[in-house]
Amino acid sequence: MAEHHFVPYGVCPSAVTLAALLLGPRAPDPLDRLVVDRVVRQINKARADDGSDNPELYDGDTTTPGAWRPTGEEATADEGACQEPGDAVTPNWGKVKPFVLRSGSQFRPPSLRGFTSYDELVNSPEYARQVDEVRRVGAVDSTERTREQTVIGWFWDHDLNGTYHPPGQLLQLTGTVAKKFELDTYETTRLFALSALTLADAGIAAWDSKFDGPINEWRPVSAIQALGGENANWQPLSADRAGTPWTPCFIAWTSGHANFTGAWAVAMQNFFGRDEASFTAQSEDPHTLKRFRRMNSFSQVAEEGEFSRMWLGVHFRWDAEDGREIGTNVGDYVFANALQPTRSGRPHQQ
């Protein structure tokens, strides 16, 4: 089994853009020597032994109906295999020391909608409704998914290696918003720092909910194919670069995309003190049907990101809803507890 040393969606590197990507100061620049060098040393000290290099593989239950199991994809040049339990991507990321949160579990619900066993989950009427919805709107050959839903699904995808992944797409969007509002250098710096910290902790919170709760939920492709009959060969719209149906190799609940976009939107709302804003988002996903998409509010980003994964057939509705709720809580908490003045009118002294 392959050993994974993978930062989910580029989360941690995004955060350390706070200090020039930890590259250290440039000798000719006094500001780098006086400020950046100090910040780099502080970040390196703070992140030492943060748990991000934990090599342990996933060894949870992968046989009980309802429990996550590998989705069967073979390794490709772009993506890893998903055939063994140990192929699960970064199962320990939820245990990484957060940047601002007290712990990755700070905003995790006690369980997936109150279910405490897989038997209770898969035999519930609500579960049946969740599965049926994705079966209808998330299939590669769905006749119920609208073109707009397909556009949204692919626009926010960024799952495949070689793309920005969600945090990178959202950090690029942070720059777009900063230019839109004509922020000065210091305001732009604070906005990027806020975005990076929020996305970093959102990723930790998302992976905590995926791997560290009592229910490690299987993906729609596993749930729907288990129904048998005409559903035995069901496949999601989501695909690798070659167009082969593909599902991310980790637990479904909750949605990382919904978590990231929800957290980012709240960070923007809190920073600017408003939701309404007109700006253009950009997608580099290889399958996107539109490279640019006009946004009319920060919450539109959260709403589209929330359900984009359901339209692609890789998440259930409750994965999306609960993921956005966690991300919203993370965004509010980070804004209230980070990058605030330490003393009125005076800089912080070490």
Side-chain angles (χ1 to χ4, degrees):
M1 290 182 244
E3 183 175 300
H4 296 290
H5 296 284
F6 174 75
V7 179
Y9 296 140
V11 173
C12 200
S14 297
V16 297
T17 56
L18 307 180
L21 295 174
L22 296 185
L23 295 178
R26 297 181 296 276
D29 191 335
L31 184 61
D32 278 356
R33 285 294 173 190
L34 294 172
V35 179
V36 175
D37 180 57
R38 182 179 179 182
V39 173
V40 168
R41 285 187 279 107
Q42 288 178 343
I43 291 179
N44 282 335
K45 181 179 179 179
R47 302 313 297 177
D49 301 318
D50 64 358
S52 60
D53 59 352
N54 189 331
E56 295 180 17
L57 303 180
Y58 183 71
D59 63 355
D61 177 4
T62 57
T63 59
T64 301
W68 181 81
R69 59 202 53 195
T71 49
E73 289 92 348
E74 297 181 1
T76 69
D78 298 310
E79 307 300 325
C82 193
Q83 297 184 313
E84 302 289 340
D87 292 332
V89 177
T90 53
N92 308 298
W93 199 259
K95 299 182 179 69
V96 171
K97 182 174 70 174
F99 287 79
V100 184
L101 297 182
R102 295 191 299 272
S103 72
S105 63
Q106 184 172 340
F107 295 114
R108 187 206 328 145
S111 67
L112 194 172
R113 300 297 172 96
F115 295 112
T116 58
S117 72
Y118 293 112
D119 183 66
E120 182 185 11
L121 171 71
V122 299
N123 288 298
S124 68
E126 179 55 29
Y127 170 82
R129 288 190 288 269
Q130 296 271 335
V131 172
D132 184 62
E133 181 178 29
V134 184
R135 182 189 65 79
R136 292 182 290 103
V137 303
V140 64
D141 57 354
S142 172
T143 59
E144 296 189 35
R145 183 180 56 249
T146 68
R147 174 174 171 78
E148 177 72 355
Q149 290 166 345
T150 301
V151 168
I152 290 171
W154 286 128
F155 186 88
W156 298 105
D157 186 29
H158 286 75
D159 247 334
L160 303 179
N161 290 334
T163 67
Y164 284 145
H165 293 302
Q169 185 183 26
L170 293 167
L171 283 172
Q172 181 187 55
L173 193 52
T174 298
T176 298
V177 171
K179 291 180 179 179
K180 168 73 177 182
F181 283 89
E182 299 180 342
L183 301 186
D184 64 25
T185 300
Y186 294 100
E187 290 172 327
T188 299
T189 300
R190 181 169 179 262
L191 183 63
F192 266 105
L194 176 65
S195 298
L197 288 171
T198 300
L199 293 171
D201 276 6
I204 294 170
W207 258 250
D208 168 86
S209 67
K210 288 179 181 294
F211 285 95
D212 296 320
I215 298 290
N216 293 347
E217 180 194 42
W218 61 5
R219 290 281 181 166
V221 65
S222 301
I224 296 169
Q225 289 183 358
L227 297 174
E230 61 181 12
N231 296 302
N233 296 314
W234 184 94
Q235 292 292 346
L237 176 62
S238 174
D240 63 16
R241 290 180 181 273
T244 303
W246 177 82
T247 293
C249 196
F250 42 82
I251 292 161
W253 187 82
T254 60
S255 165
H257 279 64
N259 195 313
F260 286 125
T261 52
W264 182 89
V266 169
M268 296 300 108
Q269 290 166 350
N270 287 333
F271 184 92
F272 291 104
R274 59 190 288 188
D275 181 46
E276 293 73 21
S278 179
F279 51 92
T280 300
Q282 181 176 343
S283 176
E284 66 160 6
D285 190 88
H287 300 293
T288 190
L289 302 179
K290 291 185 177 181
R291 187 179 176 190
F292 299 99
R293 185 167 175 80
R294 193 69 172 173
M295 298 286 112
N296 295 311
S297 65
F298 298 124
S299 60
Q300 184 181 348
V301 174
E303 290 162 5
E304 293 193 2
E306 179 179 6
F307 293 111
S308 64
R309 313 301 288 155
M310 191 171 71
W311 311 138
L312 289 181
V314 296
H315 272 297
F316 302 102
R317 177 173 290 273
W318 52 30
D319 302 341
E321 293 173 341
D322 295 351
R324 181 178 176 181
E325 181 176 0
I326 292 174
T328 296
N329 289 331
V330 169
D332 279 333
Y333 186 86
V334 171
F335 184 81
N337 291 276
L339 306 176
Q340 298 295 319
T342 57
R343 192 179 306 173
S344 179
R346 297 183 62 183
H348 179 61
Q349 299 295 320
Q350 292 293 323

Short mmCIF file of all heavy atoms in Angstrom, two decimals, residues 113-145:
data_model
loop_
_atom_site.label_atom_id
_atom_site.label_comp_id
_atom_site.label_asym_id
_atom_site.label_seq_id
_atom_site.Cartn_x
_atom_site.Cartn_y
_atom_site.Cartn_z
N ARG A 113 -26.18 13.74 11.40
CA ARG A 113 -27.61 13.90 11.62
C ARG A 113 -28.16 13.02 12.76
O ARG A 113 -29.30 12.56 12.71
CB ARG A 113 -28.37 13.63 10.32
CG ARG A 113 -27.99 14.56 9.17
CD ARG A 113 -28.33 16.01 9.48
NE ARG A 113 -27.82 16.94 8.51
CZ ARG A 113 -28.54 17.42 7.48
NH1 ARG A 113 -29.81 17.03 7.33
NH2 ARG A 113 -28.01 18.28 6.63
N GLY A 114 -27.33 12.77 13.75
CA GLY A 114 -27.78 12.02 14.91
C GLY A 114 -27.62 10.51 14.81
O GLY A 114 -27.87 9.80 15.79
N PHE A 115 -27.19 10.00 13.65
CA PHE A 115 -27.02 8.55 13.51
C PHE A 115 -25.76 8.11 14.24
O PHE A 115 -24.70 8.74 14.14
CB PHE A 115 -26.92 8.17 12.03
CG PHE A 115 -28.18 8.43 11.26
CD1 PHE A 115 -28.22 9.42 10.28
CD2 PHE A 115 -29.33 7.71 11.51
CE1 PHE A 115 -29.38 9.67 9.57
CE2 PHE A 115 -30.51 7.95 10.81
CZ PHE A 115 -30.53 8.94 9.83
N THR A 116 -25.87 7.03 14.96
CA THR A 116 -24.74 6.52 15.72
C THR A 116 -24.28 5.14 15.27
O THR A 116 -23.30 4.61 15.79
CB THR A 116 -25.08 6.47 17.22
OG1 THR A 116 -26.24 5.65 17.42
CG2 THR A 116 -25.35 7.88 17.76
N SER A 117 -24.99 4.55 14.32
CA SER A 117 -24.58 3.26 13.77
C SER A 117 -24.88 3.23 12.28
O SER A 117 -25.78 3.92 11.80
CB SER A 117 -25.29 2.10 14.47
OG SER A 117 -26.66 2.04 14.07
N TYR A 118 -24.13 2.41 11.55
CA TYR A 118 -24.36 2.30 10.11
C TYR A 118 -25.71 1.66 9.81
O TYR A 118 -26.39 2.03 8.85
CB TYR A 118 -23.24 1.49 9.46
CG TYR A 118 -21.91 2.19 9.50
CD1 TYR A 118 -20.86 1.70 10.28
CD2 TYR A 118 -21.70 3.36 8.77
CE1 TYR A 118 -19.64 2.36 10.33
CE2 TYR A 118 -20.48 4.02 8.81
CZ TYR A 118 -19.46 3.52 9.59
OH TYR A 118 -18.25 4.18 9.64
N ASP A 119 -26.12 0.70 10.63
CA ASP A 119 -27.41 0.04 10.41
C ASP A 119 -28.54 1.05 10.53
O ASP A 119 -29.46 1.07 9.70
CB ASP A 119 -27.58 -1.08 11.43
CG ASP A 119 -28.87 -1.85 11.20
OD1 ASP A 119 -28.98 -2.52 10.15
OD2 ASP A 119 -29.76 -1.76 12.07
N GLU A 120 -28.47 1.89 11.55
CA GLU A 120 -29.48 2.93 11.73
C GLU A 120 -29.47 3.89 10.54
O GLU A 120 -30.53 4.31 10.06
CB GLU A 120 -29.19 3.68 13.03
CG GLU A 120 -30.21 4.76 13.37
CD GLU A 120 -29.82 5.56 14.59
OE1 GLU A 120 -28.67 5.42 15.06
OE2 GLU A 120 -30.66 6.34 15.07
N LEU A 121 -28.29 4.23 10.07
CA LEU A 121 -28.16 5.16 8.95
C LEU A 121 -28.80 4.62 7.68
O LEU A 121 -29.70 5.25 7.11
CB LEU A 121 -26.68 5.45 8.70
CG LEU A 121 -26.34 6.25 7.44
CD1 LEU A 121 -26.77 7.70 7.59
CD2 LEU A 121 -24.84 6.15 7.13
N VAL A 122 -28.35 3.45 7.22
CA VAL A 122 -28.76 2.97 5.90
C VAL A 122 -30.20 2.48 5.87
O VAL A 122 -30.78 2.32 4.78
CB VAL A 122 -27.82 1.84 5.41
CG1 VAL A 122 -26.39 2.35 5.29
CG2 VAL A 122 -27.88 0.61 6.30
N ASN A 123 -30.82 2.28 7.02
CA ASN A 123 -32.21 1.86 7.06
C ASN A 123 -33.19 2.99 7.33
O ASN A 123 -34.38 2.77 7.51
CB ASN A 123 -32.40 0.75 8.11
CG ASN A 123 -31.78 -0.56 7.66
OD1 ASN A 123 -32.18 -1.14 6.66
ND2 ASN A 123 -30.78 -1.02 8.40
N SER A 124 -32.67 4.21 7.32
CA SER A 124 -33.53 5.36 7.60
C SER A 124 -34.17 5.89 6.31
O SER A 124 -33.57 5.85 5.24
CB SER A 124 -32.72 6.47 8.26
OG SER A 124 -31.79 7.02 7.35
N PRO A 125 -35.39 6.43 6.39
CA PRO A 125 -36.03 7.03 5.21
C PRO A 125 -35.24 8.22 4.66
O PRO A 125 -35.19 8.41 3.44
CB PRO A 125 -37.40 7.47 5.76
CG PRO A 125 -37.64 6.60 6.94
CD PRO A 125 -36.30 6.38 7.55
N GLU A 126 -34.63 9.01 5.53
CA GLU A 126 -33.87 10.17 5.06
C GLU A 126 -32.66 9.74 4.25
O GLU A 126 -32.33 10.36 3.23
CB GLU A 126 -33.42 11.04 6.24
CG GLU A 126 -32.61 12.26 5.83
CD GLU A 126 -33.32 13.15 4.83
OE1 GLU A 126 -34.57 13.20 4.82
OE2 GLU A 126 -32.62 13.81 4.03
N TYR A 127 -31.99 8.67 4.67
CA TYR A 127 -30.87 8.15 3.89
C TYR A 127 -31.34 7.74 2.50
O TYR A 127 -30.68 8.05 1.50
CB TYR A 127 -30.25 6.94 4.61
CG TYR A 127 -29.25 6.18 3.78
CD1 TYR A 127 -27.93 6.62 3.65
CD2 TYR A 127 -29.62 5.02 3.11
CE1 TYR A 127 -27.01 5.91 2.88
CE2 TYR A 127 -28.72 4.30 2.35
CZ TYR A 127 -27.41 4.75 2.23
OH TYR A 127 -26.51 4.06 1.45
N ALA A 128 -32.48 7.06 2.42
CA ALA A 128 -33.01 6.64 1.13
C ALA A 128 -33.26 7.84 0.23
O ALA A 128 -32.99 7.79 -0.99
CB ALA A 128 -34.29 5.83 1.32
N ARG A 129 -33.77 8.93 0.79
CA ARG A 129 -34.02 10.14 0.00
C ARG A 129 -32.70 10.76 -0.47
O ARG A 129 -32.60 11.23 -1.61
CB ARG A 129 -34.83 11.15 0.82
CG ARG A 129 -36.29 10.77 1.02
CD ARG A 129 -37.09 11.91 1.63
NE ARG A 129 -36.75 12.13 3.04
CZ ARG A 129 -37.38 11.54 4.05
NH1 ARG A 129 -38.37 10.68 3.82
NH2 ARG A 129 -37.03 11.80 5.30
N GLN A 130 -31.71 10.77 0.41
CA GLN A 130 -30.41 11.33 0.05
C GLN A 130 -29.78 10.56 -1.10
O GLN A 130 -29.28 11.14 -2.07
CB GLN A 130 -29.47 11.29 1.26
CG GLN A 130 -29.90 12.13 2.44
CD GLN A 130 -29.38 13.55 2.38
OE1 GLN A 130 -28.37 13.83 1.75
NE2 GLN A 130 -30.08 14.47 3.04
N VAL A 131 -29.82 9.24 -1.02
CA VAL A 131 -29.23 8.40 -2.06
C VAL A 131 -29.97 8.58 -3.37
O VAL A 131 -29.35 8.71 -4.45
CB VAL A 131 -29.24 6.92 -1.63
CG1 VAL A 131 -28.81 6.02 -2.79
CG2 VAL A 131 -28.33 6.71 -0.43
N ASP A 132 -31.30 8.61 -3.32
CA ASP A 132 -32.08 8.73 -4.55
C ASP A 132 -31.82 10.06 -5.25
O ASP A 132 -31.76 10.11 -6.48
CB ASP A 132 -33.57 8.59 -4.23
CG ASP A 132 -34.43 8.61 -5.48
OD1 ASP A 132 -34.27 7.70 -6.32
OD2 ASP A 132 -35.24 9.55 -5.63
N GLU A 133 -31.65 11.12 -4.47
CA GLU A 133 -31.40 12.43 -5.08
C GLU A 133 -30.09 12.43 -5.87
O GLU A 133 -30.05 12.86 -7.03
CB GLU A 133 -31.36 13.52 -4.02
CG GLU A 133 -31.13 14.91 -4.60
CD GLU A 133 -31.15 16.00 -3.55
OE1 GLU A 133 -30.79 15.71 -2.37
OE2 GLU A 133 -31.51 17.14 -3.89
N VAL A 134 -29.02 11.93 -5.27
CA VAL A 134 -27.74 11.90 -5.99
C VAL A 134 -27.81 10.95 -7.17
O VAL A 134 -27.23 11.21 -8.23
CB VAL A 134 -26.59 11.50 -5.05
CG1 VAL A 134 -25.26 11.56 -5.78
CG2 VAL A 134 -26.55 12.38 -3.83
N ARG A 135 -28.49 9.86 -7.00
CA ARG A 135 -28.64 8.90 -8.11
C ARG A 135 -29.25 9.58 -9.32
O ARG A 135 -28.82 9.34 -10.46
CB ARG A 135 -29.53 7.73 -7.66
CG ARG A 135 -29.74 6.65 -8.72
CD ARG A 135 -30.79 5.65 -8.27
NE ARG A 135 -32.11 6.26 -8.15
CZ ARG A 135 -32.92 6.52 -9.19
NH1 ARG A 135 -32.54 6.22 -10.42
NH2 ARG A 135 -34.11 7.08 -8.97
N ARG A 136 -30.20 10.48 -9.08
CA ARG A 136 -30.89 11.13 -10.19
C ARG A 136 -30.12 12.32 -10.78
O ARG A 136 -30.01 12.45 -11.99
CB ARG A 136 -32.28 11.60 -9.74
CG ARG A 136 -33.25 10.44 -9.43
CD ARG A 136 -34.63 10.93 -9.04
NE ARG A 136 -34.63 11.57 -7.71
CZ ARG A 136 -34.65 12.88 -7.51
NH1 ARG A 136 -34.70 13.72 -8.55
NH2 ARG A 136 -34.65 13.37 -6.27
N VAL A 137 -29.58 13.17 -9.91
CA VAL A 137 -28.98 14.42 -10.42
C VAL A 137 -27.46 14.36 -10.57
O VAL A 137 -26.87 15.23 -11.22
CB VAL A 137 -29.34 15.61 -9.52
CG1 VAL A 137 -30.85 15.77 -9.40
CG2 VAL A 137 -28.69 15.50 -8.14
N GLY A 138 -26.82 13.33 -9.98
CA GLY A 138 -25.37 13.27 -10.04
C GLY A 138 -24.80 12.26 -11.00
O GLY A 138 -23.57 12.14 -11.13
N ALA A 139 -25.67 11.53 -11.70
CA ALA A 139 -25.19 10.49 -12.62
C ALA A 139 -24.54 11.08 -13.86
O ALA A 139 -24.90 12.17 -14.31
CB ALA A 139 -26.36 9.60 -13.04
N VAL A 140 -23.58 10.37 -14.40
CA VAL A 140 -22.91 10.84 -15.61
C VAL A 140 -23.90 11.03 -16.74
O VAL A 140 -23.73 11.92 -17.60
CB VAL A 140 -21.79 9.84 -16.01
CG1 VAL A 140 -22.36 8.48 -16.38
CG2 VAL A 140 -20.95 10.40 -17.16
N ASP A 141 -24.98 10.24 -16.77
CA ASP A 141 -25.97 10.32 -17.83
C ASP A 141 -27.31 10.88 -17.33
O ASP A 141 -28.37 10.58 -17.88
CB ASP A 141 -26.19 8.96 -18.46
CG ASP A 141 -26.60 7.88 -17.44
OD1 ASP A 141 -26.60 8.18 -16.22
OD2 ASP A 141 -26.89 6.75 -17.87
N SER A 142 -27.27 11.70 -16.27
CA SER A 142 -28.50 12.24 -15.68
C SER A 142 -29.31 13.05 -16.69
O SER A 142 -28.76 13.85 -17.45
CB SER A 142 -28.15 13.14 -14.49
OG SER A 142 -29.30 13.81 -14.01
N THR A 143 -30.62 12.83 -16.66
CA THR A 143 -31.52 13.64 -17.49
C THR A 143 -32.23 14.69 -16.64
O THR A 143 -33.00 15.50 -17.17
CB THR A 143 -32.58 12.74 -18.16
OG1 THR A 143 -33.32 12.04 -17.14
CG2 THR A 143 -31.92 11.73 -19.10
N GLU A 144 -31.97 14.70 -15.34
CA GLU A 144 -32.61 15.66 -14.43
C GLU A 144 -31.70 16.83 -14.05
O GLU A 144 -32.19 17.89 -13.67
CB GLU A 144 -33.08 14.94 -13.16
CG GLU A 144 -34.16 13.90 -13.43
CD GLU A 144 -34.76 13.36 -12.14
OE1 GLU A 144 -34.87 14.15 -11.16
OE2 GLU A 144 -35.09 12.17 -12.10
N ARG A 145 -30.40 16.63 -14.14
CA ARG A 145 -29.47 17.72 -13.81
C ARG A 145 -29.55 18.77 -14.92
O ARG A 145 -29.49 18.46 -16.11
CB ARG A 145 -28.05 17.18 -13.71
CG ARG A 145 -26.99 18.20 -13.31
CD ARG A 145 -25.60 17.58 -13.24
NE ARG A 145 -25.23 16.93 -14.49
CZ ARG A 145 -25.09 15.61 -14.66
NH1 ARG A 145 -25.27 14.79 -13.65
NH2 ARG A 145 -24.74 15.11 -15.83
#
